[in-house]
Amino acid sequence: MGAVSSWRAQKEALSACLAVHSSVSFRLLPEASMQRVQESCSTLAEAILTRAPTAGLAQLVLMQGTVDPDVRSRQLALAQAIAPLEAMQVKLRIEAGLDHFDTLSSDARLATQADMALLLSTTWGRSWLSAVYLDRADNRSGIAEVLATVPEPDQRAFLALLKRSAVALPSHPAVER
């Protein structure tokens, strides 16, 4: 990817790596091409981390580029510790955490749960999490586990939003109306 010098350029390059990795077209690439993209993004992230060890986006790029559950867990926990309040990063970490919930270390699971608790405390976060909850049944237990730990007003607000969303989308009968 060449030399990326300014923080803004680094952030754009890392964001592009994150976006490419989650795109449908990336998954359609031949394995060798996917590997080259992953290597380029990981090399960029590692170079950025040598100069800016608190770059949460770089930790996320490294996390997306690994299949090793221990490395993924370590990167996820590091990313959350470095940038706990970066909204886009919180969402990406939750998605990764929920996708690999069963293989996460206890630290990574706690980081994912902290991210979910943060989102449950905001209107936009509850809205996003309710869509995640309704989207896939395998996300529900992880979200419900965290929901039980947040303050009651946040619980009520999430459940009310979830019920409204479920009524609007009748294809989700798992939510009590």
Side-chain angles (χ1 to χ4, degrees):
M1 286 194 188
V4 181
S5 58
S6 73
W7 172 240
R8 182 181 176 119
Q10 291 172 4
K11 191 174 177 180
E12 291 295 322
L14 291 170
S15 295
C17 284
L18 291 167
V20 164
H21 186 273
S22 59
S23 72
V24 172
S25 58
F26 177 75
R27 292 184 206 114
L28 297 175
L29 289 173
E31 186 67 34
S33 296
M34 285 175 58
Q35 190 171 9
R36 283 194 300 273
V37 170
Q38 291 286 44
E39 288 170 1
S40 293
C41 287
S42 293
T43 299
L44 174 67
E46 288 168 355
I48 289 170
L49 284 170
T50 60
R51 291 180 285 155
T54 60
L57 277 176
Q59 298 293 349
L60 284 172
V61 168
L62 291 176
M63 179 195 66
Q64 278 189 336
T66 187
V67 294
D68 182 331
D70 294 332
V71 173
R72 182 183 306 111
S73 287
R74 186 172 45 256
Q75 296 305 137
L76 181 62
L78 275 170
Q80 198 274 339
I82 289 169
L85 302 176
E86 293 284 337
M88 182 211 47
Q89 292 180 44
V90 169
K91 289 166 65 174
L92 290 170
R93 290 191 305 260
I94 290 171
E95 288 173 347
L98 288 172
D99 284 346
H100 304 284
F101 204 68
D102 295 336
T103 62
L104 292 179
S105 69
S106 59
D107 288 343
R109 193 176 281 226
L110 286 173
T112 301
Q113 291 170 333
D115 283 340
M116 284 191 271
L118 173 68
L119 289 193
L120 285 167
S121 70
T122 67
T123 302
W124 69 268
R126 287 188 293 268
S127 178
W128 183 80
L129 270 177
S130 70
V132 170
Y133 183 94
L134 291 171
D135 186 43
R136 289 188 14 216
D138 58 336
N139 290 337
R140 294 179 185 153
S141 64
I143 295 170
E145 187 177 315
V146 174
L147 184 62
T149 68
V150 299
E152 192 175 324
D154 294 339
Q155 291 177 13
R156 281 195 312 268
F158 179 77
L159 293 173
L161 178 62
L162 195 58
K163 286 179 182 180
R164 284 193 307 273
S165 298
V167 168
L169 301 169
S171 64
H172 297 288
V175 178
E176 190 176 308
R177 294 188 178 130

